[in-house]
Amino acid sequence: MTFAKKILITGGAGFIGSHLVQHFVKKYPSYQIINLDKLTYAGNLENLKEIENAPNYKFAKGDITDESFIQELFDVHQFDGVIHLAAESHVDRSISDPMSFIMTNIVGTVNLLNAARKNWEGEAGKLFYHVSTDEVYGSLGAEGFFTEDTPYDPRSPYSASKASSDHLVRAYHHTYDMPILVSNCSNNYGPFQFPEKLIPLVINNIKENKPLPIYGDGKYTRDWLWVGDHVEAIDLIYHKGNVGETYNIGGNNERMNLELVHDLCDVVDEMLGRDAGSSRALIHFVKDRPGHDRRYAIDATKLKDELQWEPSVGVKEGLRRTAKWYLDQSEWLERVTSGTYRTYYEEQYSSR
Ligand code: NAD
Ligand code: TYD
């Protein structure tokens, strides 16, 4: 079978990647999608069950830091495009183990860029799309928003590694004419997110009547985006973005952590038939995350003006959908939280 385009999606077994792979495989049957993932603790092929036998989908298990493997993958498949999501993604883990973030997020990205550069030499119509985070811009006070022109000021090993990879992707554009796109997105939430991140962790702990750890005073603010809206934005940018450009993606849904956790308690209590708000008693203030960024907020005007993208799911509706999904998925939760996860979780929070 010949395909109109062959696209490599890295990190496609992770949270956002699995939504993106499903979206592309279903929406574009004329594209072949190759999902490259190392299947770390955060990668789970179960997330892709719906499309695993689709004729336009292939999975390749591998590490983006493995130079010869990546080169061979490019040689075999002759990709037209890359959408790069593979990363170590959790800030707390980057504090306890920065090196794995440097290796995957920086070295792995350069490895992919080198393979693309070598394989695409002299060819037109190729595209390397790098998926990144708003955390590269640092921390905001009570006012203001991140725009595409906000100077980089990363504060955690995670955000510093993503900032570095963003710079390298742009450097390959300027130095080698690599056709690139970058997007920097705010905090995503929805099904298939590994339950070490705030929203799934809180839903799971409410269900299990465990403490809900709130770092510091709980007045840290994030701009929450429904993962499906991120996927739609990536699709639009991949197909219609101006090569060489960066686009900010945000939910326009700012919430303080404590406010968000209160909302989640109310939603989950209602779904579980508990007294309204009773789970709020599980809230437990713990030692703050070192270097904790106070506030993130995105100005996504460029994406709205140029590509007419706007988030479609508000945080109230998104939290309901997410809570329902996690409450219905006890087997998925059980499987992903077995093994090393518990050790890590206990190690982190027992000392806070
Ligand atoms: P995730 O941790 O859920 O998934 C990451 C995936 O990458 C996993 O499937 C993992 O197995 C894979 N991976 C890790 N190291 C690898 C390696 N060396 N080689 C190959 N595969 C490897 O992450 P996510 O939340 O889905 O984030 C995906 C991307 O989007 C990341 O680049 C992240 O920086 C970015 N991003 C995430 C958010 C968010 O809120 N989650 C927001 C903005 C940007
Ligand atoms: P997280 O989901 O780790 O995303 P990020 O750090 O990339 O923004 O955390 C979201 C916010 O929630 C952040 O301010 C840290 C805070 N947080 C808690 O208060 N308790 C928790 O158990 C976790 C995981 C996060």
Side-chain angles (χ1 to χ4, degrees), residues 16 131-137 158 183-188 223 225-226 229-231 233-234 247-251 296 298 309:
I16 301 169
V131 174
S132 192
T133 168
D134 62 351
E135 304 191 22
V136 298
Y137 298 122
Y158 164 66
S183 58
N184 296 89
C185 185
S186 63
N187 286 62
N188 285 215
D223 171 12
L225 180 68
W226 172 248
D229 281 329
H230 189 188
V231 163
I234 294 174
Y247 295 87
N248 276 357
I249 309 172
Y296 303 141
I298 281 274
W309 176 89

Side-chain angles (χ1 to χ4, degrees), residues 10-18 36-44 62-65 84-90 100 103-105 108 130-135 158 162 183-189 192-194 196-197 224-225 230:
T10 71
F15 164 47
I16 301 169
S18 59
L36 162 64
D37 199 294
K38 183 180 173 183
L39 300 181
T40 66
Y41 77 95
N44 185 357
D63 189 328
I64 57 168
T65 66
H84 174 37
L85 291 93
E88 287 293 341
S89 69
H90 190 48
S100 58
M103 290 310 294
T104 289
N105 299 0
H130 179 60
V131 174
S132 192
T133 168
D134 62 351
E135 304 191 22
Y158 164 66
K162 292 296 291 188
S183 58
N184 296 89
C185 185
S186 63
N187 286 62
N188 285 215
Y189 69 100
F192 299 125
Q193 187 168 33
F194 192 81
E196 65 186 350
K197 303 265 168 54
W224 294 97
L225 180 68
H230 189 188

Side-chain angles (χ1 to χ4, degrees), residues 90 135 187 196-198 201 213 215 222 257 289 292:
H90 190 48
E135 304 191 22
N187 286 62
E196 65 186 350
K197 303 265 168 54
L198 181 67
L201 179 127
Y215 299 169
R222 299 292 182 260
N257 292 340
R289 170 188 283 173
H292 199 168

Side-chain angles (χ1 to χ4, degrees), residues 95-279:
I95 295 167
S96 52
D97 174 24
M99 191 53 87
S100 58
F101 286 69
I102 306 308
M103 290 310 294
T104 289
N105 299 0
I106 306 177
V107 177
T109 300
V110 174
N111 214 15
L112 287 165
L113 286 165
N114 283 342
R117 191 182 155 218
K118 194 164 164 215
N119 194 260
W120 294 349
E121 205 174 351
E123 295 202 36
K126 308 287 188 180
L127 190 54
F128 190 105
Y129 180 164
H130 179 60
V131 174
S132 192
T133 168
D134 62 351
E135 304 191 22
V136 298
Y137 298 122
S139 184
L140 290 166
E143 304 286 319
F145 296 90
F146 299 134
T147 71
E148 289 80 1
D149 297 323
T150 302
Y152 274 31
D153 185 19
R155 311 292 188 93
S156 72
Y158 164 66
S159 54
S161 69
K162 292 296 291 188
S164 174
S165 60
D166 293 7
H167 287 317
L168 284 156
V169 170
R170 292 193 192 100
Y172 271 60
H173 176 61
H174 293 293
T175 310
Y176 307 115
D177 238 358
M178 169 76 72
I180 62 110
L181 283 164
V182 177
S183 58
N184 296 89
C185 185
S186 63
N187 286 62
N188 285 215
Y189 69 100
F192 299 125
Q193 187 168 33
F194 192 81
E196 65 186 350
K197 303 265 168 54
L198 181 67
I199 289 179
L201 179 127
V202 164
I203 296 170
N204 197 27
N205 284 15
I206 296 174
K207 191 180 95 183
E208 297 189 0
N209 268 309
K210 286 184 178 168
L212 312 179
I214 303 286
Y215 299 169
D217 62 4
K219 292 183 181 164
Y220 294 86
T221 300
R222 299 292 182 260
D223 171 12
W224 294 97
L225 180 68
W226 172 248
V227 62
D229 281 329
H230 189 188
V231 163
E232 292 288 349
I234 294 174
D235 181 346
L236 256 182
I237 295 168
Y238 183 82
H239 287 100
K240 299 194 174 147
N242 289 316
V243 171
E245 296 275 315
T246 292
Y247 295 87
N248 276 357
I249 309 172
N252 206 12
N253 267 293
E254 279 187 59
R255 284 287 183 287
M256 269 187 199
N257 292 340
L258 195 55
E259 237 173 46
L260 183 91
V261 171
H262 282 160
D263 289 350
L264 274 173
C265 288
D266 297 351
V267 166
V268 177
D269 282 343
E270 189 197 314
M271 288 181 179
L272 293 177
R274 295 181 185 169
D275 289 344
S278 59
S279 299

